[in-house]
Amino acid sequence: MGAEQMAGSNGSRPQPGPAGAANGGTDRGLDRVDRSILRLLQQDGRASIRSVAERVHVSRANAYARIARMMEDGVIRGFTARVDHERAGQGACAYVTLKIVQNSWRTVREQLLELPGVAHIALVGGEFDVLMLVHTADNRALRELVLGSIQSIPEVLSTQTLLVFEETDRVPPA
C-alpha cells in the first residue's frame, strides 16, 4: 500500500488549512502525534518506522503515513547527519554578518551557496542584512573565505566576523 493510500485511511488526519498557506495551500496542521514524531526524528533521523510507531503509540502504517504526509507537505525537508565539525577537520567556525546592496539578496544568496564551508544563510532585519554560519579547516581558511571570497562579491558592502569559540546544537528533549 502506498503512502497516499495510507494517508487517506487515517481518520484522525487534520484537515487542510486555508488556501494559499505558506506551502502552497497544503497546510494540514500538526497534531500531538505529529509533533511527537518530529521530535523523535530530530533526535534520531535514522529511527525505524517501527521504533517511531511504538514510541508514539500508533500503528506502523499510521506512523509511515504521517511521516510521508509531513514530507509531502514540506514539514520534513530531509534527513541529515549532525556533524562534529572539529573532528571532521573543520576546526574554525564563525558567524559572518553582511551588509549588501538593497534588493540583491537573491543574487548574493546564490553566490554564497557556492562557497565552501557555508552551513547556514539567513536574510535578517536589523543593522546588517545577512547572517551566515561558516565552518573552515582553520583561521587561515576562514580569513580567505571572508576576505577573498565573500568580500569579492560586488553586492557585499561590508562584513563582520564573529569567531565561535564553542558551539552546542540543541537536540529536542525526548
Side-chain angles (χ1 to χ4, degrees):
M1 181 182 294
E4 301 232 354
Q5 292 170 316
M6 283 190 281
S9 67
N10 178 0
S12 65
R13 184 173 173 179
Q15 296 303 307
N23 60 359
T26 60
D27 182 15
R28 300 178 192 145
L30 300 179
D31 64 14
R32 181 188 52 78
V33 174
D34 290 334
R35 287 189 298 276
S36 295
I37 290 171
L38 285 175
R39 208 169 20 260
L40 288 171
L41 291 176
Q42 286 176 302
Q43 292 169 353
D44 180 6
R46 296 179 62 184
S48 69
I49 297 290
R50 188 187 91 215
S51 169
V52 169
E54 288 173 358
R55 292 175 68 185
V56 299
H57 310 292
V58 298
S59 70
R60 281 186 283 181
N62 190 330
Y64 179 85
R66 286 170 178 269
I67 292 169
R69 174 180 46 82
M70 288 188 280
M71 290 175 68
E72 177 184 317
D73 289 352
V75 173
I76 297 174
R77 297 185 301 178
F79 297 88
T80 187
R82 288 195 325 263
V83 176
D84 181 320
H85 294 282
E86 196 166 331
R87 289 184 179 188
Q90 296 178 313
C93 177
Y95 285 96
V96 182
T97 66
L98 289 72
K99 288 185 182 181
I100 61 174
V101 172
Q102 190 173 2
N103 296 322
S104 65
W105 162 242
R106 287 176 183 82
T107 304
V108 171
R109 177 183 56 200
E110 295 309 313
Q111 293 175 73
L112 294 173
L113 286 170
E114 297 294 320
L115 299 176
V118 174
H120 183 83
I121 305 171
L123 177 66
V124 297
E127 65 182 86
F128 48 86
D129 304 306
V130 177
L131 176 66
M132 300 175 50
L133 175 62
V134 299
H135 296 277
T136 61
D138 53 29
N139 284 345
R140 184 179 306 246
L142 177 61
R143 183 185 69 221
E144 178 54 36
L145 177 65
V146 174
L147 301 180
S149 299
I150 296 172
Q151 289 186 358
S152 70
I153 297 171
E155 297 87 356
V156 173
L157 302 174
S158 67
T159 64
Q160 182 176 6
T161 303
L162 306 165
L163 190 60
V164 174
F165 295 124
E166 185 177 325
E167 61 183 325
T168 303
D169 291 330
R170 183 180 184 276
V171 178

